[in-house]
Amino acid sequence: MKRVFILVLDSFGVGYSCDAKKFNDIGANTFGHISEYCYFGKANDNRFGTLNIPNLMSLGLGKIYYQITGNLPLGILQPVNVISNYGFASEISTAKDTSSGHWEIAGVPVLFHWDYFVNKNNSFPEYILNQIILEFNLPGILGNCQASGVDILKDFGELHIHTKKPIFYTSSDSVFQVACHEKYFGLNNLYDLCIGIRAILNKYNLNITRVIARPFVGENACDFVRTGNRKDFSKPPHQKTILQKLIEEKNGHVIALGKIADIFDNLGITKSIHAVGLTELINNTIQQIKSAVHNTIVFVNFVDFDSIWGHRRDVSGYASGLEFFDQQLPKILHALYDEDLLIITADHGCDPTWPGTDHTREFIPIILYNKFMKNNYFGHRKTFSDIAQTIAKYFLLSSMQYGVSIL
C-alpha cells in the first residue's frame, strides 16, 4: 500500500538562500536564530533553556543545517544515528509567499510575477473599492493600508462594530485581506464578501494570489482575537499539480488538512478537513495515517508557525511550537505503515528575529522518512519541485515538468 504524508512546517526556513539579496534577506535564518535565542536565554516565555527537538534532529535536521551554514545549531544535542534521508532546497518561484511555496512543492513553480498593493496607505485602487462598496451596498470601508493582523484590529475593530464597515488591509505579499467581526458582521457575510472581491479582482485582471477572510471576536481593542474560521480564496494553480495527477492517473485520494485546500483553490483535493491549532492538526494527521487508503496523499500545513509565531516575531512561541511538534513526532512515525513515505518540509522562511513582519527568503529542509530507508544526505536541491517529482516516481505517475526525483 503506497501513501505519502507531506507535513509543511509553515515558514520553517533553515538559512538564507542564494537569491536572498533580491529580497533583502541576507542573514535571515529561522531555525538558526531560534536556536540561538534559546541558547542565550532570550526565548524563555512559557518555556526555558536550549531548543529541545531530539526527534527532528534524529531525522537529520541538524545535519541539514550544518551543510548549509558549516555550523551546528547552538545548544542542541546531536544524535548518534540519523534515521532518514535529508537535504534542503532552493525556491525558484519569483516570490516568497505561501501559495508560491506550496505550488512549487506540488510541482508547479510560480515563474511569473504576482501583482501587489504596494502603497502603505490608500493601498487599494479606488475603482476596486467603489465597485466592492456598490455591489455589496456597504456603508464604506476601514483600513485601506498595509498592516499586521493584530494591529489592524486594535486600530479599527471598535469602529467596525459600530459602523459595520469591513476592514481592508494588505501586506508585502500579494493579498487582499478582509477582517470582520463574526457576531456583528457575520461569518457567512464575510465569506460572501471575499468571494465577491475575488471575482472583482479577476474581472480587472489583477493577479492577486489570495483574498483572505480574517474573522475575529471580542468586544473592544483589548480583547479582539482572530478566530480559527479564516478562509483563503486563492487563484487556482496555473498548471497541473502532483495532487491532480494522482487523482487522474491512479484514481487516488488527496486529503488536505488545515489551509491546504484553500491554497490550491480545492483543485486536486478529494477531502478537506478543517483543523485549527497545532494539537488538532497533529491529532488529525495521526488519524489519517491510521485510516488513509492505497494511493493517498495527506497534505498538512501547520500554519501556527507562520501566522502566530513567525509574523508576530514571537521567538519563544515558535520554539515552544517546535518542541511540541517534536514531542508528537514519535506517534506519527510509529503510526506509519512499512511502505509509507513521510515528507517533512517548509514553504518559505519567517525568521522571528528579522526586522519587519514579512516572510524571509530561505532554504527549506526536506526530510524523507520510510521505515526501511537508510540514512542518506541527498544534498542541495535546485527547486522545491523535487518533492513533487519524488512523489511522482513513488506512485509511478507521469513525470512533472519541473524537478528531479530524490528517490
Side-chain angles (χ1 to χ4, degrees):
M1 184 162 68
K2 290 194 170 184
R3 311 182 306 171
V4 169
F5 301 91
I6 310 170
L7 311 187
V8 178
L9 305 186
D10 196 321
S11 84
F12 188 55
V14 285
Y16 68 91
S17 60
C18 301
D19 62 350
K21 185 176 181 180
K22 297 179 187 176
F23 301 87
N24 297 316
D25 286 334
I26 293 289
N29 188 336
T30 300
F31 176 38
H33 286 149
I34 291 170
S35 65
E36 178 183 306
Y37 269 53
C38 291
Y39 180 78
F40 288 111
K42 297 192 289 184
N44 288 337
D45 287 345
N46 299 312
R47 62 166 305 281
F48 183 78
T50 57
L51 189 62
N52 185 25
I53 49 170
N55 297 301
L56 281 167
M57 298 301 283
S58 72
L59 293 174
L61 182 60
K63 290 187 176 292
I64 292 170
Y65 187 79
Y66 180 80
Q67 294 293 335
I68 294 170
T69 67
N71 299 296
L72 293 172
L74 284 173
I76 304 178
L77 293 176
Q78 302 303 305
V80 176
N81 296 310
V82 171
I83 60 173
S84 73
N85 288 258
Y86 57 92
F88 63 99
S90 298
E91 185 169 12
I92 59 173
S93 293
T94 58
K96 53 181 178 178
D97 61 277
T98 295
S99 296
S100 298
H102 281 78
W103 292 6
E104 188 167 331
I105 288 170
V108 182
V110 175
L111 303 181
F112 54 85
H113 289 277
W114 297 113
D115 290 331
Y116 297 87
F117 300 111
V118 296
N119 295 332
K120 293 189 180 300
N121 296 299
N122 298 316
S123 300
F124 303 110
E126 190 172 343
Y127 67 92
I128 294 290
L129 296 178
N130 289 339
Q131 179 142 2
I132 295 170
I133 291 169
L134 180 65
E135 286 195 14
F136 287 88
N137 194 28
L138 298 174
I141 64 102
L142 301 171
N144 190 16
C145 58
Q146 291 187 4
S148 79
V150 175
D151 292 340
I152 200 79
L153 298 185
K154 293 178 181 178
D155 292 341
F156 296 104
E158 292 182 7
L159 187 58
H160 161 74
I161 290 174
H162 293 308
T163 65
K164 305 300 185 293
K165 296 178 181 179
I167 305 168
F168 291 174
Y169 66 106
T170 188
S171 71
S172 61
D173 284 343
S174 174
V175 292
F176 191 124
Q177 304 191 75
V178 185
C180 292
H181 198 285
E182 287 197 0
K183 175 182 175 182
Y184 297 108
F185 192 88
L187 187 59
N188 288 331
N189 291 334
L190 170 59
Y191 290 160
D192 289 343
L193 175 59
C194 289
I195 291 169
I197 292 172
R198 174 80 274 171
I200 290 169
L201 296 177
N202 292 345
K203 172 184 174 181
Y204 286 102
N205 294 316
L206 283 173
N207 198 23
I208 301 300
T209 319
R210 290 172 293 158
V211 177
I212 305 177
R214 295 284 196 177
F216 68 97
V217 294
E219 297 300 322
N220 56 63
C222 296
D223 66 359
F224 288 141
V225 291
R226 298 195 297 197
T227 74
N229 292 318
R230 162 186 171 160
K231 192 167 180 58
D232 295 27
F233 300 88
S234 175
K235 296 277 284 187
H238 49 286
Q239 292 177 332
K240 191 176 294 185
T241 67
I242 191 65
L243 313 179
Q244 293 165 277
K245 276 181 175 284
L246 179 65
I247 295 169
E248 294 175 6
E249 297 181 18
K250 294 290 185 179
N251 195 28
H253 310 271
V254 177
I255 300 171
L257 273 69
K259 66 177 185 177
I260 292 294
D262 287 356
I263 292 169
F264 289 93
D265 194 31
N266 290 292
L267 291 179
I269 308 295
T270 56
K271 182 180 181 181
S272 177
I273 298 174
H274 180 73
V276 178
L278 204 50
T279 300
E280 191 175 334
L281 281 164
I282 290 171
N283 290 340
N284 273 275
T285 299
I286 294 170
Q287 180 58 45
Q288 291 308 311
I289 293 174
K290 294 177 178 178
S291 61
V293 299
H294 181 51
N295 284 339
T296 294
I297 292 173
V298 177
F299 204 160
V300 190
N301 174 280
F302 295 98
V303 67
D304 289 0
F305 291 108
D306 185 51
S307 63
I308 296 180
W309 303 312
H311 283 300
R312 298 184 194 180
R313 299 310 192 230
D314 182 356
V315 183
S316 295
Y318 209 127
S320 294
L322 287 172
E323 289 169 335
F324 179 75
F325 178 82
D326 190 84
Q327 291 166 8
Q328 305 306 307
L329 255 180
K331 298 178 185 178
I332 293 172
L333 300 181
H334 180 73
L336 294 170
Y337 295 172
D338 288 351
E339 283 189 272
D340 289 345
L341 180 62
L342 174 69
I343 302 172
I344 300 176
T345 189
D347 54 340
H348 49 69
C350 196
D351 184 343
T353 74
W354 204 241
T357 60
D358 300 333
H359 294 155
T360 43
R361 186 73 160 192
E362 298 184 49
F363 297 118
I364 60 165
I366 303 177
I367 291 169
L368 301 183
Y369 175 81
N370 170 275
K371 289 187 176 182
F372 298 110
M373 276 184 179
K374 295 180 180 178
N375 109 58
N376 175 51
Y377 171 62
F378 50 74
H380 174 200
R381 316 303 295 194
K382 303 301 183 185
T383 169
F384 297 1
S385 291
D386 284 9
I387 294 173
Q389 202 70 273
T390 301
I391 295 170
K393 185 169 184 178
Y394 174 83
F395 283 119
L396 302 179
L397 305 174
S398 60
S399 295
M400 303 298 294
Q401 181 177 351
Y402 297 94
V404 175
S405 174
I406 299 166
L407 295 177

